[in-house]
Amino acid sequence: MNLPTVTPIAPTGIASVQTTCPYCGVGCGVRASRSADGRVEVSGDDAHPANFGRLCVKGSALAETIGLEGRLLRPKMRAARSDDFRTSSWDDALDTVAHGFRRIVEQHGPDAVAFYVSGQLLTEDYYVANKLMKGYIGSANIDTNSRLCMSSAVAGHKRAFGEDLVPGCYEDLELADLIVLVGSNTAWCHPVLFQRILRIKAARPEMKVVVVDPRFTATCEMADMHLPIAPGADVALFNGLLAYLAHSGIVDASYVEGHTAGYAQALEAARSETHGAFDLDHYASLCRIEPHDLLAFYRLFARTERVITAYSMGVNQSSAGTDKVNSIINCHLATGRIGQPGMGPFSLTGQPNAMGGREVGGLANMLAAHMELDNAQHREWVQTFWGSPTIATRPGLKAVDLFNAIEAGTVKAVWIMCTNPVVSMPDGDQVKRALSRCELVVSSDCMEHTDTHAFAHVLLPALGWGEKDGTVTNSERRISRQRAFLDAPGVAQADWQIICNVARRMGFEGFEYATPYDIFDEHARLSAWHNETHDDKRNDTHSETHNDTPSARGDRAGTDTLDESDDRARHDAVARGARRVFNLSGLTTLGRDGYDALTPIQWPVHARYRAGDRGTARLLEDSRYSHPDGNARFVATVPRSPVNAPDDTYPLTLNTGRVRDQWHTMSRTGKAPTLANHVPEPFVDIDAADASRCGVREGELARLSTRWGSMLARVQFSGGVRRGSVFVPIHWNDQVASSGRVGALVNPVVCPVSGEPEFKHTPVRVEPFRPAWHGFSISRFEPALEGSAYWTRIQGSQFVRYELAGNAPIAEYGVWARELLRIDDPHVELIEYLDSHEGVYRAVDVRDGRIESCVFVSARPEASARTWLASLFAKDVLDDDDRAALLLGEPLSARGDTGPTVCACFGVGRAVICEAIREQGLTSVAQITAGLKAGGNCGSCVPELKKLLTETVSMAPALP
């Protein structure tokens, strides 16, 4: 069983293409070029205003992820009463899906079916999925994994602004004099933005950065101030800030009076426990930080006009997530610091198209084009525009409720698109139970084997990045094109094509699109339909007609414009929901060629598009909001205790998040050798004192348990975790780890407003996991893992590595090693070493001078030099020193092992960096970069380099 190698996809004659990165919400522009042999090279697009040519390490390694290993290339259906899938034709698979959904709707009603979609779909895919479910099936049971990351921001924006608006743009990060990063490890999760901040800070050292986070993260390494507040204390922190601003006379009274409502109630709520006064000690005790640190932050915010408060998952993923968002916005409204250069609240989106999904109504409580499900007028407008037979009349089930309803049997069919809920949802084992009981589970995906697919009945092969064509919208409202530069593999289709094919088979008209442009054009026209802003320009251009509905007829929306001086007419339009900031009317005349050549542009776009137009950088500059009276809303927020608090059984608090070099459930990044060695295993980061009380030791394995599930992880002491808390990354799944799904542990409590789950606060117990043996294998093929109680898979360039542990003692080491390494030929001799007293065993398979595989086992965690051993697999023939050192597990030369990867861009290891610091007396990151290149590309490792400088210098022996 040989390990697959990357298979280049045949070129189609396209030498280079401008497209967009498929990872985080920064939305970086990418240039992909191909050589004659089909090899792909990826670089940053210098012309793209989101990144100006820079890419993080994940984006830089995209070319390593496009091979066809593990791809779903043909439709598959599960045979009746069987766990086996059989390959199917598209016709059979689509008929099965369409007939199944139609039958269940006819028998049980439209709410008996659901779609669960993804922020990695393109806007065009999202649009037709939303149209099919809400306008044709007639249910709003379509929700998205963006519910898990951004729905609290959406709800907070709508409460404050009347619409889901992100007021600022990335340029504001450069214009600000103070950037407050709240619940955002920006250095690892949005690294290109973080590098942008660092560059401007280097140019303007007076610009300050404050990080609000219970953990000391890589982002904190570069901050001027770190506020390690108690988990969940964000509302208390910003309520205290609001009270301080009022106490200090910093509130902009004219702005509050002229453009907002609800200030008095919000301030009263913020001071509800302090008898109407500002009590610094009270807020400090709620946040569990020193009063002088809190006061320093409050004073800095108060005296700095140009403030950006950027927030991400640490704010959103909470049972109080929406209140956290509004407590931040309250402080900006109180000071009038919004809608102007260098100031405002800024939501940093998690996924590449979470914003695009919001534009088309991808959440269960929204309609397309920023219209509202609970607004009868909006429902009528959308149904009329679509010419659809029906329209959903009430919000559908949000993600957690959706899977509860599937388990209860009220939802009997679900179509999962481009996401892996068994891994990413909270209480992941409940999702397993739900899908195992569901009558029809359909999944359209580009990968064949996922944790979710174990429960599917029909698998539909979708295009992946590099093969798809459409648009995405990033965190600053910038619409960019994702363009195809690879041929469709197998018989895979675009998601929008799959959806439309099912819709037509269900008997629905209105899904006769020929290209993604046709969908985008309809989306743009719907955005302007009954959207009467004073900026709209009448446009009488029409598309070809197919029927009498506006969506097919090509009618141009927004033709009944308002006179700018007619304030009363404008007020009436807003009151009936006919003025929405989201508007793409200027893009309705693109034509196919214009769409193909579209350059990045920020909405709203009112003026007719001309090549190179950048759109609208900032919103709310006129201080006119989308509420009927044109005013923003303060929202009264009160700190709330977590629904599930630690207790004697589960005494610690589990926090989850990302690591630098991996993405979501690793179906893409897990294929890239460049990204594998920075954080190779699931880990639990814990305070050393807590670890001692739990009986766990650094470097060893531990079992984490909650009321919902358990997992195994390697113990780590970073020194950045508050006492009483632990941190575990989200990425590992059952395809790459035996017991690494942290989602199975997370409590399913949600924010009552947004429905976003509480990923940051789950009571947890940490206990020792002491197997009989520890070890690792490195081989050119997949080993046999039977009998391993713990394993994690790490992809290499010409090998695969597994970290291993087992509960049962190994009886016959040689027999066991041959079984593990799949050596069936009795003539193959292993090079072996055994110390039975210490429980140490090592075996290496070398054939014709080339290493094929090795396994190292010991009674304690095996400390052999994995990086050096892995490097031997790149050699066609081992030299004498390598052969002599094999069973030692380390090179004969002290310089032979580079250590774990720190700089993935240039493959620079920790040992190399530390040695250079010691021997060359390096004192700055710039010196490390000059000598080793580390930190010289994407900059994601710069905080770690700074930390290594501090640690290595502090450990150096004192001079006599």
Side-chain angles (χ1 to χ4, degrees):
M1 180 179 176
N2 292 327
L3 189 69
T5 57
V6 172
T7 305
I9 298 172
T12 57
I14 303 173
S16 178
V17 70
Q18 289 173 287
T19 184
T20 312
C21 180
Y23 291 125
C24 76
V26 175
C28 294
V30 170
R31 286 186 179 270
S33 59
R34 292 187 300 181
S35 57
D37 62 2
R39 295 183 181 275
V40 172
E41 293 186 1
V42 168
S43 60
D45 182 358
D46 293 337
H48 199 290
N51 60 315
F52 297 108
R54 299 185 73 90
L55 291 178
C56 75
V57 64
K58 293 188 290 292
S60 298
L62 274 168
E64 297 180 31
T65 71
I66 61 174
L68 299 185
E69 311 82 54
R71 286 292 299 270
L72 178 64
L73 299 176
R74 286 169 178 78
K76 294 197 171 184
M77 294 196 291
R78 192 182 298 277
R81 295 183 296 278
S82 172
D83 291 334
D84 297 328
F85 283 96
R86 61 175 176 81
T87 300
S88 165
S89 68
W90 268 114
D91 283 339
D92 286 348
L94 294 172
D95 284 344
T96 298
V97 175
H99 294 161
F101 270 76
R102 187 170 59 205
R103 175 184 57 78
I104 290 171
V105 170
E106 290 171 353
Q107 292 178 357
H108 304 284
D111 288 333
V113 300
F115 294 170
Y116 185 65
V117 298
S118 167
Q120 294 189 69
L121 290 174
L122 303 187
T123 300
E124 293 76 5
D125 306 320
Y126 245 133
Y127 179 88
V128 294
N130 181 67
K131 179 179 179 178
L132 172 57
M133 180 55 77
K134 289 175 181 165
Y136 286 78
I137 293 175
S139 171
N141 281 350
I142 174 170
D143 211 39
T144 167
N145 61 12
S146 296
R147 176 73 62 190
L148 312 183
C149 58
M150 294 311 302
S151 56
S152 292
V154 173
H157 296 161
K158 290 170 72 173
R159 290 204 299 188
F161 308 144
E163 192 173 341
D164 178 19
L165 307 177
V166 175
C169 59
Y170 295 160
E171 183 188 35
D172 289 326
L173 296 170
E174 299 171 332
L175 299 176
D177 295 318
L178 169 62
I179 298 175
V180 185
L181 299 171
V182 190
S184 173
N185 186 8
T186 320
W188 278 15
C189 299
H190 298 93
V192 169
L193 284 188
F194 187 68
Q195 292 306 311
R196 198 163 176 171
I197 293 170
L198 292 186
R199 288 195 299 276
I200 198 65
K201 185 166 174 55
R204 282 197 297 120
E206 66 275 13
M207 190 265 278
K208 303 297 181 186
V209 176
V210 175
V211 177
V212 179
D213 198 314
R215 291 195 299 143
F216 188 92
T217 66
T219 304
C220 302
E221 291 283 352
M222 315 302 286
D224 298 285
M225 181 187 300
H226 172 222
L227 293 180
I229 64 171
D234 308 76
V235 171
L237 175 74
F238 286 97
N239 276 359
L241 176 57
L242 183 65
Y244 177 81
L245 295 171
H247 172 76
S248 304
I250 307 298
V251 171
D252 186 335
S254 62
Y255 191 91
V256 168
E257 182 177 354
H259 302 293
T260 73
Y263 169 71
Q265 293 86 345
L267 182 60
E268 181 181 2
R271 300 191 302 199
S272 60
E273 297 180 2
T274 61
H275 307 291
F278 171 71
D279 185 341
L280 178 66
D281 291 336
H282 170 72
Y283 297 110
S285 66
L286 291 177
C287 297
R288 286 191 292 188
I289 59 177
E290 294 296 326
H292 61 84
D293 291 332
L294 187 63
L295 183 60
F297 168 59
Y298 286 173
R299 285 174 171 168
L300 182 60
F301 190 103
R303 70 170 181 253
T304 309
E305 181 182 22
R306 290 178 178 252
V307 181
I308 289 289
T309 306
Y311 48 91
S312 193
M313 302 312 146
V315 169
N316 297 326
Q317 291 180 328
S318 168
S319 56
T322 308
D323 280 354
K324 290 182 180 181
V325 171
N326 285 115
S327 69
I328 292 169
I329 294 174
N330 285 345
C331 296
H332 281 270
L333 292 176
T335 52
R337 298 171 181 172
I338 191 167
Q340 302 301 316
M343 60 183 76
F346 203 134
S347 166
L348 297 181
T349 310
Q351 293 193 85
N353 201 31
M355 178 75 77
R358 289 142 65 176
E359 295 165 9
V360 302
L363 292 165
N365 54 315
M366 300 168 65
L367 271 180
H370 282 204
M371 287 185 267
E372 301 295 334
L373 264 171
D374 58 3
N375 185 316
Q377 180 71 81
H378 285 185
R379 294 197 302 270
E380 179 186 341
W381 288 341
V382 173
Q383 184 178 1
T384 301
F385 182 87
W386 280 341
S388 60
T390 185
I391 195 74
T393 58
R394 61 180 182 271
L397 295 167
K398 298 170 184 174
V400 171
D401 291 337
L402 170 59
F403 286 96
N404 287 336
I406 294 172
E407 184 177 16
T410 54
V411 170
K412 301 178 183 299
V414 62
W415 186 352
I416 298 166
M417 304 179 194
C418 197
T419 187
N420 193 4
V422 169
V423 182
S424 56
M425 284 285 292
D427 193 7
D429 288 343
Q430 184 277 328
V431 178
K432 284 186 175 183
R433 295 194 305 271
L435 296 179
S436 67
R437 298 175 186 178
C438 190
E439 193 172 318
L440 177 60
V441 177
V442 180
S443 179
S444 44
D445 204 307
C446 58
M447 301 303 295
E448 181 171 359
H449 299 291
T450 74
D451 291 22
T452 299
H453 285 180
F455 303 92
H457 301 103
V458 183
L459 302 180
L460 304 175
L463 298 179
W465 180 80
E467 303 151 8
K468 300 197 288 189
D469 190 54
T471 58
V472 294
T473 308
N474 72 356
S475 294
E476 60 171 349
R477 296 169 284 103
R478 192 180 300 278
I479 299 168
S480 297
R481 289 280 276 109
Q482 248 191 42
R483 296 180 173 92
F485 58 91
L486 301 172
D487 292 340
V491 297
Q493 295 183 4
D495 288 278
W496 66 266
Q497 291 175 303
I498 301 172
I499 297 164
C500 290
N501 284 333
V502 169
R504 291 194 293 269
R505 280 171 164 80
M506 292 181 72
F508 298 131
E509 298 180 357
F511 294 86
E512 294 77 22
Y513 307 104
T515 68
Y517 163 69
D518 299 324
I519 305 170
F520 182 85
D521 180 64
E522 182 176 311
H523 163 55
R525 287 186 284 110
L526 178 56
S527 77
W529 179 248
H530 289 285
N531 192 0
E532 300 171 345
T533 72
H534 66 272
D535 293 314
D536 288 340
K537 307 299 180 186
R538 186 176 183 89
N539 190 311
D540 293 321
T541 304
H542 287 61
S543 303
E544 293 182 6
T545 63
H546 297 281
N547 59 42
D548 290 333
T549 64
S551 61
R553 201 169 62 227
D555 285 2
R556 301 296 160 176
T559 56
D560 298 327
T561 57
L562 298 177
D563 190 303
E564 187 169 4
S565 64
D566 191 351
D567 291 334
R568 181 60 188 170
R570 186 177 302 110
H571 180 275
D572 291 343
V574 173
R576 66 177 186 270
R579 180 183 182 273
R580 306 180 303 280
V581 174
F582 175 68
N583 193 319
L584 303 180
S585 58
L587 300 179
T588 59
T589 57
L590 280 175
R592 174 65 186 274
D593 290 344
Y595 175 78
D596 288 343
L598 182 66
T599 53
I601 189 166
Q602 289 173 278
W603 62 258
V605 185
H606 299 292
R608 181 169 179 165
Y609 175 78
R610 285 173 171 72
D613 285 353
R614 293 292 179 92
T616 306
R618 293 178 189 85
L619 305 179
L620 309 177
E621 289 180 300
D622 59 358
S623 303
R624 197 158 62 221
Y625 296 85
S626 295
H627 285 295
D629 60 1
N631 290 331
R633 300 287 188 268
F634 282 88
V635 177
T637 59
V638 178
R640 291 185 283 115
S641 299
V643 175
N644 293 296
D647 55 27
D648 292 341
T649 305
Y650 302 101
L652 302 173
T653 297
L654 170 65
N655 180 10
T656 69
R658 297 175 179 168
V659 298
R660 188 190 75 190
D661 291 359
Q662 297 297 343
W663 172 254
H664 283 199
T665 62
M666 294 174 65
S667 59
R668 183 183 292 115
T669 53
K671 298 170 70 173
T674 295
L675 305 177
N677 205 35
H678 179 241
V679 180
E681 289 181 277
F683 67 84
V684 53
D685 196 359
I686 186 172
D687 176 76
D690 286 335
S692 178
R693 282 190 290 272
C694 294
V696 299
R697 296 188 286 261
E698 186 172 23
E700 296 189 353
L701 293 170
R703 183 180 298 280
L704 283 74
S705 303
T706 72
R707 295 180 181 89
W708 297 273
S710 64
M711 68 173 293
L712 299 176
R714 190 77 61 185
V715 176
Q716 171 182 299
F717 298 165
S718 73
V721 178
R722 285 182 65 106
R723 188 169 296 183
S725 297
V726 301
F727 174 81
V728 178
I730 63 173
H731 309 289
W732 281 266
N733 58 72
D734 289 345
Q735 311 304 306
V736 294
S738 59
S739 184
R741 284 188 306 122
V742 72
L745 280 66
V746 173
N747 75 86
V749 171
V750 301
C751 171
V753 180
S754 69
E756 183 155 351
E758 175 66 271
F759 284 96
K760 304 296 183 183
H761 202 288
T762 300
V764 66
R765 178 174 67 245
V766 179
E767 301 169 295
F769 176 76
R770 300 220 167 94
W773 56 268
H774 303 259
F776 67 90
S777 70
I778 309 176
S779 56
R780 298 185 187 276
F781 44 81
E782 295 288 347
L785 299 172
E786 294 80 1
S788 298
Y790 168 87
W791 56 265
T792 299
R793 185 184 190 280
I794 302 106
Q795 180 65 58
S797 59
Q798 298 184 50
F799 61 87
V800 62
R801 176 178 130 210
Y802 277 84
E803 293 295 323
L804 304 166
N807 286 329
I810 299 171
E812 297 184 50
Y813 283 99
V815 173
W816 173 84
R818 285 176 176 273
E819 291 177 350
L820 176 79
L821 300 177
R822 300 182 185 273
I823 301 175
D824 299 326
D825 186 348
H827 297 98
V828 172
E829 292 189 12
L830 290 177
I831 304 172
E832 296 177 281
Y833 168 83
L834 173 63
D835 182 341
S836 56
H837 178 72
E838 293 293 331
V840 174
Y841 173 76
R842 296 166 183 171
V844 184
D845 176 9
V846 177
R847 305 184 201 182
D848 298 325
R850 190 179 83 148
I851 187 170
E852 294 293 322
S853 60
C854 64
V855 60
F856 283 51
V857 176
S858 66
R860 291 174 292 277
E862 175 54 61
S864 297
R866 291 157 173 77
T867 307
W868 170 72
L869 283 165
S871 72
L872 301 183
F873 283 77
K875 296 185 176 183
D876 292 330
V877 178
L878 300 179
D879 60 36
D880 291 341
D881 284 351
D882 291 335
R883 294 178 68 92
L886 270 177
L887 293 183
L888 293 175
E890 58 185 37
L892 299 180
S893 167
R895 299 175 183 270
D897 186 53
T898 61
T901 300
V902 173
C903 176
C905 294
F906 295 109
V908 186
R910 179 187 177 94
V912 173
I913 296 167
C914 291
E915 181 182 0
I917 293 171
R918 287 191 299 267
E919 293 190 356
Q920 301 174 36
L922 306 182
T923 58
S924 70
V925 171
Q927 290 174 330
I928 295 175
T929 302
L932 302 175
K933 294 187 178 180
N937 184 36
C938 77
S940 300
C941 64
V942 168
E944 197 166 349
L945 296 177
K946 184 177 179 182
K947 184 178 181 181
L948 287 178
L949 276 168
T950 302
E951 292 175 348
T952 305
V953 171
S954 67
M955 293 174 62
L959 295 174

